[in-house]
Amino acid sequence: MSQSAPISNILEISAFDPVAKQDPHARLKPLREQCPMFRDEMMKTWLVSRYADVRGVVNDRGMWRDGMNAEDGSFARRVLDNAPERLALPASERQSILTMDDPDHARIRTPLAKALYARVAKARPKIDRIVADVLDTVQGKARFDLIGEVAIPIPIVTIARILGVDDTRLEEFRDWSEGLILGLNPVRTPDETAYMERSSQAMDAYFTELMKARRARAEDDLVSDMVTLQAEGAQLSDTELRINLQALLVGGNLTTTDLIGNGVRLFLLNPAQKAKLVADPALVPQAVEEILRYEGPVDVTGRVASSDREIGGCPVKQRESLMMSLRGANRDPEAFERPDEFDITRKGTPHVSFGGGAHICIGAPLARMEATAFFSVFFQRFPTLKLTDEPPHWRALPFFRGLERLMVES
Ligand code: HEM
């Protein structure tokens, strides 16, 4: 099948590729039509791009997630940190739930999800306040950068408040969070790597301190919830807790920034959709789902076949690695009518932007709440906002889609 494929390797659908960076669908549409199960022999990875196949694989709880299970030479294996001292650690102390399999995955995710969902369920007033405060900082400016000044601070401050970061440490926490995000970039400069490592060490030390303080005296925050669950018998070591609290930051900050940034740009490019949103605020939750479908922040997710099977008509062997194009699936005409139209009144098939099954994004309720809080007020507060004539600067981060900068003016 790869012989007639419109791409020659998996990186050609990522922001490393100049064509895909500008318009990923210029690559994904022909791929889905001509070779929906593409095999990259160099990277030993299947790239799956039809909605039905992607949905089937991500929802399949029998699949593996840990790249250690994948065949040698596969992309999932190559991106692992293979330093011998790391590999000597138990799986749950060298990676987060994102790439962990059961029983560790369920053991750690279950208490974390329980505590996080309960926190999120009562976070809306706090998030409304954070959105209002951040928007106050740009109100009245003739021109500002929507990404740097608005879309980056909102998720960082939100998760800091949920975790229980003290006000006096918020600035440092913001700085470390930005450093940690560099971990997503495999082509970091040496300076960026040093910044990332400094941030990770500082964050580790800070979480250790915070856990100790909350053990001594619980507060109304997620770190208190987690140490309380530990004390009540949840099987979770301090290292596992620290790794997974950091995973909430790495997994949640840039992605939510991009959901806000991509959404604002889509509305400014589609004034009729913006008019509908402003006229009917009840459309906001649906609009958030449509931003996620039409221009979601994450390109792909991965699984490893745990047994020989057939996927999308192709024989896939045990230990073969699968990369699911969430972005390709979200524009599949077999699943969505007029897939290339941004339509906030759309109903029907759910998108796959948060993945599915056992690994479905743990932060989805929080991301949805932040975006809902944001789009409920943003265009009311900035009714005359427009894009400047600066061309969009898409970030060169492989497998994520978001803007480095989005200059807007009143
Ligand atoms: C719009 C924003 C977001 C998008 C598009 C997104 C997307 C994703 C995707 C595609 C996955 C993999 C799912 C799979 O393989 O089936 C994932 C997992 C994950 N996300 Fe998110 N995410 C977002 C926000 C967040 C937030 C706010 C947090 C933290 C509060 C977060 C934390 C995580 C974690 C920890 C995982 C691993 C879950 C597991 O494997 O059990 N994400 N996310």
Side-chain angles (χ1 to χ4, degrees):
M1 237 183 186
S2 322
Q3 302 301 316
S4 61
I7 62 170
S8 55
N9 68 72
I10 50 176
L11 290 178
E12 284 178 30
I13 64 151
S14 82
F16 273 169
D17 179 90
V19 172
K21 186 175 172 191
Q22 290 316 314
D23 176 12
H25 298 286
R27 296 275 193 229
L28 291 171
K29 188 170 188 282
L31 181 71
R32 195 180 49 238
E33 287 169 357
Q34 297 163 37
C35 191
M37 286 293 292
F38 167 73
R39 175 81 183 161
D40 181 333
E41 290 297 349
M42 278 283 287
M43 292 289 185
K44 297 202 171 147
T45 299
W46 291 94
L47 179 58
V48 186
S49 54
R50 257 188 320 225
Y51 181 90
D53 300 332
V54 168
R55 172 61 81 196
V57 175
V58 295
N59 280 14
D60 182 346
R61 288 170 181 260
M63 287 276 178
W64 287 323
R65 182 65 170 101
D66 189 345
M68 284 298 285
N69 293 320
E71 64 181 316
D72 288 343
S74 60
F75 186 71
R77 273 298 275 276
R78 290 181 198 209
V79 296
L80 289 177
D81 178 357
N82 281 325
E85 67 277 12
R86 302 262 312 145
L87 290 181
L89 294 170
S92 65
E93 298 206 347
R94 66 178 134 80
Q95 61 193 344
S96 77
I97 52 169
L98 177 66
T99 48
M100 208 182 270
D101 288 319
D102 280 346
D104 287 335
H105 180 262
R107 173 175 60 80
I108 296 172
R109 180 170 164 134
T110 306
L112 185 63
K114 181 180 167 203
L116 179 64
Y117 294 164
R119 285 279 143 207
V120 172
K122 54 184 181 183
R124 182 64 193 266
K126 257 187 207 157
I127 294 176
D128 284 339
R129 188 70 260 146
I130 292 165
V131 168
D133 289 348
V134 169
L135 293 181
D136 284 349
T137 66
V138 291
Q139 190 86 50
K141 285 192 177 178
R143 200 179 151 98
F144 60 91
D145 173 17
L146 190 282
I147 302 299
E149 296 178 65
V150 175
I152 288 180
I154 289 174
I156 294 184
V157 178
T158 300
I159 195 73
R161 295 276 181 245
I162 288 182
L163 287 165
V165 175
D166 304 322
D167 279 354
T168 56
R169 308 296 294 271
L170 197 59
E171 277 313 305
E172 283 167 285
F173 182 85
R174 267 189 67 168
D175 182 46
W176 303 328
S177 299
E178 291 188 27
L180 278 187
I181 288 168
L182 292 166
L184 300 173
N185 186 357
V187 290
R188 298 180 292 273
T189 63
D191 279 356
E192 286 173 331
T193 300
Y195 174 32
M196 178 195 79
E197 284 168 357
R198 256 193 337 269
S199 303
S200 173
Q201 282 158 11
M203 193 69 95
D204 254 354
Y206 180 61
F207 278 133
T208 303
E209 188 188 310
L210 201 56
M211 281 154 56
K212 192 169 162 217
R214 296 306 190 258
R215 272 192 193 112
R217 206 183 116 186
E219 301 271 348
D220 186 17
D221 58 42
L222 185 66
V223 172
S224 300
D225 299 341
M226 293 310 296
V227 294
T228 306
L229 286 172
Q230 257 184 332
E232 289 169 359
Q235 295 299 306
L236 192 66
S237 73
D238 281 5
T239 305
E240 290 168 344
L241 189 48
R242 272 198 309 271
I243 292 175
N244 286 286
L245 290 175
Q246 289 201 20
L248 298 184
L249 304 173
V250 177
N253 285 344
L254 196 65
T255 46
T256 312
T257 292
D258 293 343
L259 174 57
I260 293 173
N262 293 354
V264 169
R265 177 168 175 272
L266 283 174
F267 280 114
L268 294 179
L269 289 172
N270 294 276
Q273 295 295 314
K274 185 187 132 190
K276 279 187 192 170
L277 181 79
V278 173
D280 184 0
L283 283 174
V284 171
Q286 246 171 285
V288 170
E289 297 311 305
E290 179 65 350
I291 300 165
L292 282 160
R293 183 195 72 85
Y294 189 87
E295 195 115 85
V298 180
D299 282 342
V300 296
T301 191
R303 296 289 189 271
V304 177
S306 54
S307 59
D308 292 356
R309 57 186 81 198
E310 195 183 281
I311 299 172
C314 293
V316 174
K317 294 206 173 59
Q318 188 186 40
R319 298 186 66 230
E320 284 183 350
S321 191
L322 295 142
M323 185 182 258
M324 271 61 62
S325 170
L326 306 173
R327 190 174 308 290
N330 281 337
R331 296 283 189 101
D332 185 345
E334 295 286 320
F336 303 96
E337 273 176 36
R338 304 165 285 107
D340 297 321
E341 233 176 83
F342 177 61
D343 174 4
I344 64 168
T345 62
R346 181 185 292 279
K347 289 200 175 106
T349 320
H351 60 73
V352 280
S353 296
F354 289 122
H359 288 272
I360 192 166
C361 176
I362 198 172
L366 180 59
R368 286 186 162 116
M369 188 177 279
E370 290 178 57
T372 304
F374 177 84
F375 286 104
S376 296
V377 296
F378 184 68
F379 291 112
Q380 269 82 1
R381 284 190 62 168
F382 298 87
T384 60
L385 205 70
K386 43 186 201 307
L387 295 170
T388 63
D389 49 18
E390 189 179 273
H393 285 260
W394 295 102
R395 225 184 294 103
L397 192 57
F399 304 124
F400 290 87
R401 183 153 177 86
L403 295 154
E404 229 156 68
R405 192 171 64 223
L406 180 63
M407 293 309 295
V408 289
E409 60 193 10
S410 294

